[in-house]
């Protein structure tokens, strides 16, 4: 499986913590994946530096470096990563079909 295929199988889902609270987690093939692994896979697949990725999702470089070091991002940041990934994958698909 290529890195691009790996990225296509990543999704953001709500995970129930308890009756009162849910959290957002990345999953790949039904298994939870750490955000640091998703960010590293994005950077590796699209040949981006941490700085380039940070700029593309409009988050500080320091924050993305924290994620890559294992610091968990807020839910809003996870949604931003997921939205960016979806748009990027759609652009790649459209350019292949053109």
């Amino acid at each position: 499986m290529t890195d691009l295929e790996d990225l296509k199988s990543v999704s953001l889902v709500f995970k129930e913590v308890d009756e009162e609270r849910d959290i957002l987690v990345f999953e790949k093939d039904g298994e939870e994946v750490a955000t640091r692994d998703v960010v590293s896979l994005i950077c590796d697949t699209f040949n981006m530096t941490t700085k380039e990725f940070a700029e593309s999702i409009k988050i500080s470089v320091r924050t993305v470096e924290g994620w890559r070091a294992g610091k968990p991002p807020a839910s809003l940041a996870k949604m931003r990563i997921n939205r960016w990934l979806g748009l990027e994958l759609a652009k790649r698909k459209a350019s292949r079909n053109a």
Side-chain angles (χ1 to χ4, degrees):
M1 185 177 283
T2 68
D3 287 346
L4 191 57
E5 290 169 339
D6 276 345
L7 277 176
K8 288 178 182 177
S9 65
V10 170
S11 60
L12 188 64
V13 297
F14 280 99
K15 182 177 180 181
E16 185 177 333
V17 174
D18 56 39
E19 292 179 7
E20 311 262 329
R21 192 168 49 120
D22 293 334
I23 60 171
L24 283 169
V25 297
F26 284 106
E27 286 189 355
K28 181 179 162 298
D29 301 325
E31 298 290 325
E32 191 171 331
V33 180
T35 302
R36 76 170 172 260
D37 297 331
V38 173
V39 172
S40 292
L41 184 59
I42 288 170
C43 290
D44 292 347
T45 302
F46 296 122
N47 197 27
M48 299 175 83
T49 64
T50 299
K51 181 180 179 187
E52 290 168 333
F53 179 64
E55 290 171 351
S56 70
I57 63 170
K58 297 173 181 36
I59 298 280
S60 76
V61 174
R62 190 169 176 185
T63 297
V64 176
E65 287 171 344
W67 298 342
R68 291 192 82 170
K71 183 178 179 192
S75 293
L76 184 59
K78 289 179 184 179
M79 289 188 285
R80 188 175 282 190
I81 294 167
N82 190 60
R83 181 184 65 196
W84 180 91
L85 179 57
L87 292 171
E88 192 62 32
L89 290 172
K91 280 195 276 186
R92 301 254 173 181
K93 183 177 180 180
S95 69
R96 278 196 327 254
N97 293 337

